[in-house]
Amino acid sequence: MQTGAIADTFGNIENLVTLTSGQYTMGSLILMVSYGAHFAFIIYFLTSSLQLAPRYRIVPVLSAVVMASAGLSLLREFTTWQAAYTLIGGQYVPATDGESFTNAYRYGNWTITVPLLLSQLPIAFGLARSVTHKKIIRMSIPALLMIWTGLMGQFGETGDFARLNLWGVISTVFFVWLIVEVRGVITAGIANSPVEIKAWPANLWWYFLATWGLYPIAYALPQLGASGDVVVVRQLLFSIADISSKLLYGIILSRYVLRRSALEGYVPAAEALETTAIGAKAASARGD
Ligand code: RET
């Protein structure tokens, strides 16, 4: 049996605080919207792959895999959230009868999704196959070390802030290493993009930094104190980060490879973009 006392020494702050019904409902809502959005976009990514030149189809397909994997993980967070509180006198009190909430599943899920998200970059940028393989490995190593060291540290958030911060710093070192590797891929991506869409990888760089940078903020937040507001704001930050680093990122990459496909002469992509400058250019190149 998991009790509040065990959660206190080895767990997440969600198990320490009593929530108002507003805070509890906000938490449920945030997690529900997150898994709902991820599942729904499986359809978008699978169908949008049909418009792309064959070599780029794997990019949105990987997004669909990420959506399924993250959606399942977030659904699990949602059901655990619901089981982890008991309604007593109009307040939601951490349950003492077996179920406790944990964010650790997120870190397990990132182990799958993060290497897939990173793999999408060199494939979308059309880098040579051997370079692509090398880049994927070079990005995945610091990424996995970043996640697993962060997982070790997040168990300290219920009071052992020395543990939280020590592993947080180690994890950040791997994050910096990852950022350097990603910058290398972005630079190659800018060089290898048709002139009309060189701005896309350049802008994606800033988008990557802004969205991935939300995760360490969410990690550090419990140091502000274990309160219902911190619990809800942290779940909100995780969700904004999840939707932007996976779902919106996937849309950006799939639109980029659609333009790439058209510029490289793939007719269905040019037709899909007919009302844009790139579509018009691709059509005139065909003599339409
Ligand atoms: C941790 C620990 C504290 C220090 C740092 C972290 C960075 C986490 C990141 C996670 C990205 C996750 C993504 C998931 C998508 O499914 C581990 C919180 C720097 C950057 C993109």
Side-chain angles (χ1 to χ4, degrees):
M1 242 200 349
Q2 182 88 332
T3 67
I6 293 172
D8 192 4
T9 53
F10 198 72
N12 289 139
I13 57 168
E14 283 80 359
N15 305 302
L16 301 185
V17 294
T18 294
L19 303 179
T20 65
S21 77
Q23 288 165 340
Y24 172 81
T25 307
M26 266 310 277
S28 291
L29 183 126
I30 290 164
L31 290 167
M32 189 211 74
V33 169
S34 301
Y35 80 71
H38 283 79
F39 282 137
F41 268 77
I42 296 172
I43 301 168
Y44 170 85
F45 287 119
L46 290 182
T47 50
S48 70
S49 76
L50 303 174
Q51 299 175 319
L52 303 176
R55 64 185 157 287
Y56 300 123
R57 285 185 195 158
I58 193 73
V59 172
V61 169
L62 286 173
S63 277
V65 174
V66 167
M67 291 301 108
S69 173
L72 284 168
S73 167
L74 291 165
L75 176 59
R76 190 76 183 94
E77 294 287 357
F78 172 78
T79 53
T80 309
W81 172 272
Q82 299 228 306
Y85 295 96
T86 316
L87 181 60
I88 301 173
Q91 299 237 301
Y92 286 82
V93 181
T96 49
D97 60 350
E99 195 67 80
S100 67
F101 187 82
T102 178
N103 287 297
Y105 299 147
R106 293 180 180 276
Y107 292 71
N109 183 246
W110 299 343
T111 300
I112 310 294
T113 53
V114 164
L116 295 179
L117 291 168
L118 294 167
S119 304
Q120 287 176 290
L121 289 174
I123 303 171
F125 295 154
L127 304 188
R129 192 163 285 266
S130 60
V131 178
T132 294
H133 290 162
K134 208 166 69 198
K135 297 280 189 198
I136 290 173
I137 292 168
R138 288 186 57 152
M139 289 187 289
S140 295
I141 291 170
L144 292 174
L145 292 171
M146 171 191 82
I147 293 163
W148 295 335
T149 50
L151 174 61
M152 296 308 295
Q154 63 93 40
F155 290 115
E157 70 176 38
T158 47
D160 190 352
F161 292 150
R163 176 184 181 131
L164 186 79
N165 287 321
L166 179 64
W167 286 109
V169 168
I170 297 171
S171 175
T172 302
V173 171
F174 292 123
F175 187 34
V176 172
W177 173 6
L178 169 63
I179 287 173
V180 172
E181 295 295 338
V182 169
R183 181 65 232 186
V185 173
I186 295 272
T187 304
I190 296 171
N192 204 41
S193 289
V195 63
E196 294 86 349
I197 52 172
K198 275 190 195 298
W200 286 64
N203 293 336
L204 193 63
W205 163 246
W206 299 110
Y207 186 77
F208 166 83
L209 290 181
T211 55
W212 287 48
L214 294 175
Y215 289 96
I217 298 173
Y219 174 94
L221 217 58
Q223 291 176 91
L224 294 181
S227 74
D229 285 341
V230 169
V231 162
V232 174
V233 167
R234 202 245 306 250
Q235 290 304 321
L236 183 64
L237 264 185
F238 270 138
S239 272
I240 293 172
D242 282 340
I243 290 174
S244 46
S245 72
K246 294 184 266 247
L247 198 157
L248 297 175
Y249 168 89
I251 296 177
I252 294 169
L253 280 181
S254 67
R255 301 308 291 176
Y256 166 81
V257 287
L258 180 64
R259 279 158 181 74
R260 248 194 116 108
S261 300
L263 289 166
E264 291 172 5
Y266 187 70
V267 174
E271 286 174 356
L273 287 169
E274 226 155 46
T275 55
T276 67
I278 287 174
K281 182 186 162 180
S284 75
R286 291 201 318 269
D288 291 4

